[in-house]
């Protein structure tokens, strides 16, 4: 609780320093990801890091990285091409753990819940796979967490499908296509008169 309050305060300081400049940040647990643009992008970024470091934020320098493609908390974002997906490490972990459960054919339910949680987090970036987790969540909620059970056939089929999708390269969302409309879609008038005459 207290770390989330402290990280939230640090995040607000970053936004105050950027003033009205384009400055986007993601704070997840103890990870910070910044996306900046505009004429003051680099001064804002350097000032933010400097102030947070002076305030005592425990940043390990070996984890710092930058560029148009960033990787954070198992996800990667390409801000130049407007693409998002999951990292190679996250992909390998998901595939290996799903295959391990498929080979054994049974699992400790608490272990299944852990693996399912990682899949759930990964599908925040891969939204087209999210509906396939619904039956898995349903099965996990209907059995005792401390039990060791055989995986139902349907759960096995879902894992096989998800693994096949990731192995075929389905680790990124299709590129976003932004459509800019210049025509007027709606107009309102707040003045109210009793008569329609001008």
């Amino acid at each position: 609780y207290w770390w989330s309050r402290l990280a939230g305060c640090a995040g607000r300081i970053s936004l105050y320093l950027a003033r009205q400049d384009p400055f986007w940040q993601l704070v997840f647990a103890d990870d910070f990801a910044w996306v900046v643009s505009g004429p003051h992008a680099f001064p804002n970024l350097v000032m933010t890091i400097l102030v947070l470091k002076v305030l005592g934020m425990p940043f390990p320098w070996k984890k710092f990285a930058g560029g148009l493609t960033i990787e954070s908390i198992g996800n990667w974002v390409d801000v130049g091409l407007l693409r998002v997906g999951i990292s190679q490490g996250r992909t390998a972990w998901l595939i290996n753990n799903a295959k391990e459960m498929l080979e054994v054919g049974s699992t400790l339910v608490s272990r299944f819940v852990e693996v399912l949680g990682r899949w759930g987090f990964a599908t925040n970036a891969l939204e087209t796979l999210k509906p396939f987790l619904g039956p898995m969540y349903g099965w996990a909620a209907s059995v005792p967490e401390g039990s060791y059970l055989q995986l139902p056939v349907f759960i096995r089929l879902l894992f096989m499908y998800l693994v096949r999708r990731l192995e075929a390269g389905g680790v990124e969302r299709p590129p976003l296509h932004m459509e800019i409309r210049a025509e007027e879609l709606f107009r309102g008038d707040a003045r109210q008169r009793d008569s329609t005459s001008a």
Side-chain angles (χ1 to χ4, degrees), residues 13-192:
I13 290 171
S14 304
L15 295 176
Y16 290 138
L17 290 172
R19 299 171 305 278
Q20 298 297 317
D21 294 337
F23 189 97
W24 178 87
Q25 72 177 340
L26 168 69
V27 181
F28 183 82
D30 62 345
D31 291 327
F32 285 74
W34 297 291
V35 177
V36 295
S37 66
H40 304 107
F42 291 110
N44 285 337
L45 187 58
V46 170
M47 180 62 72
T48 296
I49 295 169
L50 176 65
V51 169
L52 294 181
K53 194 64 181 167
V54 167
L55 290 174
M57 292 299 285
F59 290 136
W61 296 112
K62 65 181 180 180
K63 293 181 76 175
F64 267 77
L68 293 177
T69 303
I70 55 173
E71 187 175 312
S72 178
I73 58 174
N75 297 331
W76 65 266
V77 178
D78 187 332
V79 295
L81 298 176
L82 300 177
R83 298 186 319 175
V84 65
I86 58 176
S87 66
Q88 290 179 349
R90 173 68 55 97
T91 303
W93 192 96
L94 293 171
I95 290 172
N96 292 338
N97 281 274
K99 282 184 172 180
E100 180 184 316
M101 278 198 238
L102 287 170
E103 287 174 12
V104 174
S106 53
T107 184
L108 186 64
V109 175
S110 60
R111 173 72 177 141
F112 177 82
V113 169
E114 176 191 347
V115 172
L116 184 57
R118 298 280 183 101
W119 275 95
F121 191 80
T123 56
N124 287 330
L126 306 173
E127 291 177 340
T128 57
L129 300 182
K130 192 178 282 283
F132 297 99
L133 302 183
M136 295 184 179
Y137 280 110
W139 181 72
S142 66
V143 295
E145 191 170 333
S147 57
Y148 187 85
L149 300 172
Q150 186 173 359
L151 287 173
V153 174
F154 190 56
I155 302 296
R156 292 174 58 85
L157 288 172
L158 287 172
F159 265 138
M160 289 166 61
Y161 173 75
L162 292 170
V163 166
R164 192 172 300 143
R165 283 281 300 269
L166 292 187
E167 287 180 334
V171 296
E172 72 176 70
R173 183 186 298 177
L176 297 173
H177 297 289
M178 299 179 70
E179 184 179 337
I180 300 174
R181 294 184 178 184
E183 73 269 14
E184 183 176 298
L185 299 177
F186 177 79
R187 179 181 289 200
D189 187 1
R191 282 190 347 185
Q192 182 177 0

